[in-house]
Amino acid sequence: MTLKDIKEGQSARVLSVGGSGALRQHLLDMGIIPGTDIRVVKYAPMGDPVEICLHGYELTLRLDDADKIEVEPVSGDTVRQEEKLPKTVNEHLGLGEDGRFHPKGSGEALPSGTLLTFALVGNQNSGKTTLFNQLTGSKQHVGNFPGVTVDRKDGVILGQKDTLITDLPGIYSMSPYSSEELVSRDFVLNEKPKGIIDIVDVTNVERNLYLTMQLLEMDIPVVVALNMMDEMTGNGGSVDVNAMEAMLGVPVVPISAAKNQGVSELVDHALHIARYQEKPQRQDFCDENEHGGAVHRCLHAVIHLIEDHAKQAGLPVRFAACKAIEGDPLIIDQLGIDENEKETLEHITLQMEKERGLDRSAAIADMRFSFITRVCAACVKKPKESREQTRSRKLDRVLTGKYTAIPVFIGVMGLVCFLTFNVIGAFFEDLLETGIDELTVLADRALTYAGVNNVLHGLIIDGIFKGVGSVISFLPIIVTMFFFLSLLEDSGYIARVAFVMDKLLRKLGLSGRSIVPLLIGFGCTVPAVMSTRTLPSQRDRKMTILLTPFMSCTAKLPIYAFFVDAFFPRYKALVMIGLYLLSILIGILVALLYKKTLFQGEAVPFVMELPNYRLPTARNTLQLLWEKSKDFLQRAFSVILIATIVVWFLQSFDFRFNLVADSRDSILATVSGFLTPLFAPLGLGDWRIVTSLVSGFMAKESVVSVLEVLFSAEGGISAAISALAAYSMLVFSLLYTPCVAAIASIRRELGGKWALYVVLWQCAVAWAAALLVRLFGILIGIA
Ligand code: GDP
Ligand code: MG
């Protein structure tokens, strides 16, 4: 019987884990090892994947992968053993831990002035970024989706010069599974920080400690930060910190990153262990009495075998030994052991497998988890079910429920659009527009009054005020959109969407994880492309990146709003939603095409943690909005301002730099004239429109500012083109090449060839789609 055969709500004990390679290692690292009890929480609305609960946390798994896990059913009540509760909670010891972590007085401090580098390491969603922000006062984006941190970020600890702390992508183990996990492992292994701050989500302590155990093997000073203590104690749980310290052999500090509790104590400890280079006291977690001590003897034998090689290669020896036993090719290569030693290694390992009755990877993972079980039994009193878990369970009943999940998702997205375009965004937009108009009139009067030169007057009013002003008035829509997207992401909902949509996305050749970059793509393509690094396979990453430009980014909103205001004011939301649906539809068609051609084969397995729903903190949300507004305004006053001025200049002068009376004679008209024939079939053979589209390559918002500058003289855009042409224009802008910033980020991920491909391909698709719209319009007679 396999895990696939277990019904919703029932439990089973793992007998063996099949499969091979990185996926199998990943499953083991996530705690699916022989002997573990797993409860099937629910199947996704479309029947696949399945949500399971083990070691007190929730994980998603595809049926195909669940089928590889042999299990035997167990009845519900034998699942949880009673946990021993610690009776007394002692006073937590202070700095230097009373000499417990180095013999008192013997520690030599590093010379003052040495740069103390720290790595912030932990599972995904354990609160690393929140802590990083607290420590450095910086404003990194925080999200409640596995893998929001995609790049490493450095900062100085507030008030502590000579420190440098690096926020790394979340990892579950030191066996990297996705490309960003490799970033974290390489950082710890190669850059050898002076100290590691290991952040542990205490509400999910078993799974989090698994990484801790591996960090302790790295031979680098470690301090463990038990985060989310507020949630733990708020629900009646507690941790005997001193006992845990004694068992782990490193300082353990309970904190709450979100509430900024215990953070300064953590800093004290971190500085102390780094300054005195207090390495973990204990790395030896294999118990000689456990299962006849097979794993223990094997590990120690291998440690002796490779000791000299590890030293030479600069690898921590116990870590290298574990990896050598697991057969990690990267590490074995680095060790450079000869054939003889390889054979000995194999013999030792085979003997262990025989004695232990488990294969090598499972045996090592099991050794770690049994130690963790002992630690938790001795030091952790878990709350029965925390408020957050109860809440999550109740919410999940609706949000991932069989019949409710998809309607809710559509409803949520619809509501977000409605609120953004028709209510909140629109209200502020009107307000801002009126303000800018007033200001323009005022400036106009002032310039006239002062008798300023006509050309300069034109530049300021028709160029800068009209152009940049029109862009700025769209700020509210963009900020609102980002607000909702970040709310969904930060709360943990998007992870559920990935769970619900996995089966559907699989039909397109993607996995549920790809939904995140794609949804972020509705905000901005740049972070969307970056967030694909969380995808574990190269194929999925590439395909997702190539699809993100089809998700209409917020910078295109001003274009839509501009045309909708001019042509279809009564159907504002309808036209907007229509555009979004169209872009999704075309995205799907392209994905299907890719699946058949460029990206044949299967999407990677979908093993993902489902975090508890958490209310995003006001601070995080406000910070994000502030960042986005700042970013947008900076662009409005740099790229867009310059583009506007250049366009104004080119349309005001001819090739001999004489001021032209009719802009048809201008430099711009002549140059754009070469491209207009290409746009004529779309009904857009007007040089002004072509110019605006070209400027959109710099930044999408400048399409509007350029149109505003070029059409302001002659009764606006609605006098110049038909409604059908306007719709073609909308479709073309929806799909054509992403802006320079997005292309640059695609280039960074996939290289120049693919970036060029995206530019050309998007333009071709846009052109074809716009033509179809026009032909269809003519056919049904609305030309
Ligand atoms: P990362 O993925 O490790 O960088 O985690 P984040 O910093 O993005 O945090 C994940 C989620 O946990 C966010 O919703 C945070 O608001 C929340 N969070 C972080 N620290 C705490 C804490 O101490 N207590 C509580 N209750 N929530 C926290
Ligand atoms: Mg983060």
Side-chain angles (χ1 to χ4, degrees):
M1 167 176 241
T2 68
L3 190 58
K4 198 177 149 188
D5 307 315
I6 304 297
K7 292 208 173 50
E8 244 167 60
Q10 288 184 341
S11 298
R13 184 160 296 151
V14 178
L15 295 176
S16 74
V17 182
S20 61
L23 169 65
R24 178 161 192 276
Q25 185 66 49
H26 189 53
L27 292 178
L28 294 170
D29 286 341
M30 298 300 277
I32 306 179
I33 37 182
T36 315
D37 288 330
I38 294 183
R39 185 164 53 84
V40 171
V41 179
K42 71 162 56 152
Y43 289 88
M46 288 177 252
D48 191 11
V50 57
E51 177 184 349
I52 58 175
C53 179
L54 70 157
H55 296 298
Y57 79 101
E58 263 129 54
L59 193 70
T60 67
L61 208 61
R62 286 214 183 111
L63 293 188
D64 289 352
D65 301 320
D67 202 28
K68 293 179 190 140
I69 300 168
E70 289 282 342
V71 295
E72 63 179 3
V74 287
S75 65
D77 21 295
T78 57
V79 177
R80 255 181 195 277
Q81 316 103 328
E82 233 356 90
E83 280 136 2
K84 261 191 277 145
L85 316 177
K87 290 285 168 331
T88 51
V89 177
N90 311 324
E91 189 72 11
H92 186 215
L93 295 170
L95 202 59
E97 303 301 327
D98 241 0
R100 273 193 302 155
F101 297 109
H102 66 92
K104 220 172 187 175
S106 76
E108 280 292 329
L110 293 177
S112 69
T114 316
L115 182 66
L116 298 179
T117 49
F118 292 98
L120 194 55
V121 191
N123 283 184
Q124 290 172 352
N125 280 312
S126 55
K128 288 179 303 301
T129 307
T130 313
L131 178 63
F132 182 80
N133 287 350
Q134 294 286 9
L135 287 174
T136 61
S138 124
K139 295 166 182 150
Q140 299 299 338
H141 181 196
V142 187
N144 192 6
F145 181 86
V148 166
T149 306
V150 287
D151 231 339
R152 45 179 271 211
K153 287 155 195 147
D154 305 317
V156 177
I157 299 180
L158 278 181
Q160 306 284 348
K161 58 177 178 40
D162 298 334
T163 57
L164 188 73
I165 185 161
T166 305
D167 180 24
L168 291 170
I171 54 176
Y172 290 111
S173 101
M174 294 300 272
S175 321
Y177 185 59
S178 68
S179 59
E180 51 149 22
E181 283 189 8
L182 200 59
V183 171
S184 298
R185 169 166 126 170
D186 285 352
F187 183 84
V188 174
L189 267 183
N190 303 335
E191 308 217 358
K192 300 217 187 317
K194 291 280 183 301
I196 295 175
I197 298 177
D198 172 29
I199 182 158
V200 165
D201 172 0
V202 75
T203 60
N204 194 342
V205 63
E206 284 114 325
R207 225 270 330 287
N208 278 254
L209 282 177
Y210 187 79
L211 177 66
T212 306
M213 312 242 342
Q214 300 184 47
L215 292 176
L216 295 179
E217 292 175 352
M218 304 306 293
D219 214 30
I220 292 175
V222 174
V223 55
V224 172
L226 290 180
N227 193 28
M228 317 247 181
M229 243 3 232
D230 55 320
E231 251 177 52
M232 184 78 165
T233 51
N235 294 297
S238 70
V239 177
D240 186 340
V241 174
N242 288 338
M244 191 179 271
E245 281 184 338
M247 288 185 88
L248 294 178
V250 289
V252 175
V253 187
I255 66 164
S256 165
K259 303 215 156 94
N260 200 11
Q261 288 162 355
V263 175
S264 59
E265 194 193 345
L266 177 68
V267 171
D268 290 343
H269 279 282
L271 291 177
H272 183 87
I273 54 146
R275 207 165 273 147
Y276 289 91
Q277 283 298 297
E278 288 178 14
K279 308 233 167 110
Q281 269 199 330
R282 171 167 190 185
Q283 302 186 349
D284 200 14
F285 301 105
C286 40
D287 194 329
E288 56 186 308
N289 301 318
E290 193 181 81
H291 303 288
V295 178
H296 166 78
R297 278 176 283 118
C298 168
L299 253 169
H300 286 268
V302 174
I303 288 176
H304 290 309
L305 181 71
I306 62 161
E307 218 163 2
D308 49 336
H309 293 277
K311 264 212 192 90
Q312 250 166 25
L315 289 168
V317 60
R318 195 179 151 99
F319 165 78
C322 286
K323 289 290 152 216
I325 295 171
E326 283 169 356
D328 187 317
L330 283 171
I331 299 293
I332 292 184
D333 245 26
Q334 258 178 301
L335 283 171
I337 44 182
D338 64 27
E339 278 312 309
N340 247 330
E341 286 166 311
K342 262 187 202 156
E343 245 171 63
T344 317
L345 172 68
E346 184 62 23
H347 281 303
I348 299 173
T349 312
L350 279 175
Q351 184 62 24
M352 181 270 285
E353 286 185 327
K354 201 172 109 198
E355 286 177 37
R356 180 65 185 84
L358 281 178
D359 68 280
R360 47 199 80 185
S361 305
I364 301 258
D366 177 68
M367 176 270 293
R368 295 199 182 113
F369 271 108
S370 11
F371 180 77
I372 291 172
T373 314
R374 286 202 296 279
V375 171
C376 291
C379 326
V380 182
K381 178 187 166 205
K382 281 199 181 172
K384 264 207 150 40
E385 187 181 43
S386 70
R387 270 196 303 275
E388 286 74 14
Q389 273 166 338
T390 320
R391 192 177 59 195
S392 288
R393 206 162 37 80
K394 281 192 183 143
L395 277 172
D396 266 343
R397 223 177 281 156
V398 180
L399 297 184
T400 63
K402 202 172 170 94
Y403 302 105
T404 44
I406 291 169
V408 166
F409 175 62
I410 294 171
V412 166
M413 283 326 211
L415 189 69
V416 166
C417 287
F418 176 73
L419 287 176
T420 309
F421 304 130
N422 274 24
V423 187
I424 307 175
F427 172 75
F428 286 109
E429 190 189 332
D430 280 349
L431 211 67
L432 215 61
E433 236 168 35
T434 324
I436 291 170
D437 281 351
E438 300 276 311
L439 210 65
T440 313
V441 173
L442 223 66
D444 197 9
R445 281 217 202 105
L447 289 173
T448 316
Y449 181 74
V452 172
N453 167 296
N454 262 349
V455 179
L456 194 61
H457 188 153
L459 171 67
I460 293 174
I461 297 302
D462 297 331
I464 298 173
F465 267 79
K466 278 254 166 57
V468 176
S470 63
V471 172
I472 288 180
S473 64
F474 294 108
L475 178 67
I477 293 193
I478 290 169
V479 171
T480 317
M481 189 79 176
F482 261 109
F483 171 74
F484 285 120
L485 274 179
S486 80
L487 214 61
L488 293 180
E489 186 182 287
D490 213 1
S491 66
Y493 180 59
I494 289 191
R496 267 66 182 191
V497 175
F499 171 64
V500 171
M501 300 304 241
D502 180 63
K503 192 170 179 186
L504 216 61
L505 281 160
R506 242 179 128 185
K507 294 215 161 79
L508 304 178
L510 289 171
S511 91
R513 274 172 174 269
S514 298
I515 197 92
V516 186
L518 294 179
L519 283 182
I520 295 179
F522 284 112
C524 174
T525 310
V526 177
V529 167
M530 280 176 64
S531 69
T532 57
R533 291 200 198 158
T534 60
L535 303 179
S537 97
Q538 194 58 27
R539 173 193 167 284
D540 283 21
R541 281 187 59 207
K542 221 174 194 172
M543 187 162 165
T544 310
I545 290 175
L546 295 183
L547 289 174
T548 41
F550 287 99
M551 307 299 122
S552 166
C553 76
T554 42
K556 291 179 189 166
L557 279 173
I559 310 179
Y560 310 155
F562 180 81
F563 280 95
V564 169
D565 281 344
F567 290 94
F568 323 99
R570 275 194 291 153
Y571 306 104
K572 198 165 176 168
L574 198 69
V575 174
M576 295 275 199
I577 291 175
L579 282 171
Y580 274 82
L581 290 182
L582 183 71
S583 77
I584 294 171
L585 181 75
I586 294 181
I588 291 175
L589 291 178
V590 172
L592 287 174
L593 181 74
Y594 281 158
K595 190 183 163 202
K596 286 267 174 323
T597 55
L598 285 176
F599 300 99
Q600 287 166 359
E602 266 290 300
V604 286
F606 181 61
V607 185
M608 189 183 77
E609 192 191 345
L610 289 181
N612 277 343
Y613 288 101
R614 290 207 168 86
L615 219 56
T617 59
R619 180 177 166 189
N620 281 342
T621 312
L622 287 177
Q623 271 177 356
L624 178 76
L625 294 189
W626 164 240
E627 294 265 296
K628 291 295 164 203
S629 317
K630 207 175 66 182
D631 193 48
F632 179 81
L633 289 177
Q634 263 168 3
R635 280 207 303 159
F637 284 101
S638 54
V639 181
I640 299 169
L641 179 66
I642 291 170
T644 318
I645 294 177
V646 169
V647 169
W648 177 85
F649 179 81
L650 292 179
Q651 64 106 29
S652 304
F653 293 90
D654 65 14
F655 278 106
R656 268 161 281 143
F657 295 106
N658 293 317
L659 205 58
V660 292
D662 186 344
S663 48
R664 242 171 279 268
D665 307 323
S666 67
I667 304 177
L668 194 59
T670 320
V671 175
S672 298
F674 293 119
L675 281 174
T676 36
L678 214 56
F679 287 85
L682 311 179
L684 302 172
D686 184 312
W687 66 273
R688 292 167 293 192
I689 291 196
V690 175
T691 309
S692 73
L693 286 172
V694 170
S695 76
F697 187 57
M698 294 305 294
K700 294 290 161 192
E701 297 93 335
S702 55
V703 172
V704 173
S705 56
V706 168
L707 285 174
E708 197 71 58
V709 171
L710 293 182
F711 281 101
S712 62
E714 302 154 46
I717 182 101
S718 48
I721 61 172
S722 68
L724 180 60
Y727 206 82
S728 284
M729 172 75 180
L730 281 174
V731 171
F732 189 85
S733 347
L734 175 73
L735 297 168
Y736 87 118
T737 176
C739 68
V740 168
I743 292 296
S745 67
I746 292 175
R747 214 199 87 185
R748 207 167 47 225
E749 300 299 322
L750 298 182
K753 262 206 312 227
W754 284 104
L756 184 67
Y757 164 84
V758 169
V759 173
L760 298 178
W761 169 244
Q762 292 295 133
C763 286
V765 171
W767 192 85
L771 185 68
L772 278 180
V773 166
R774 181 162 175 80
L775 290 180
F776 181 72
I778 291 173
L779 207 68
I780 60 171
I782 49 167

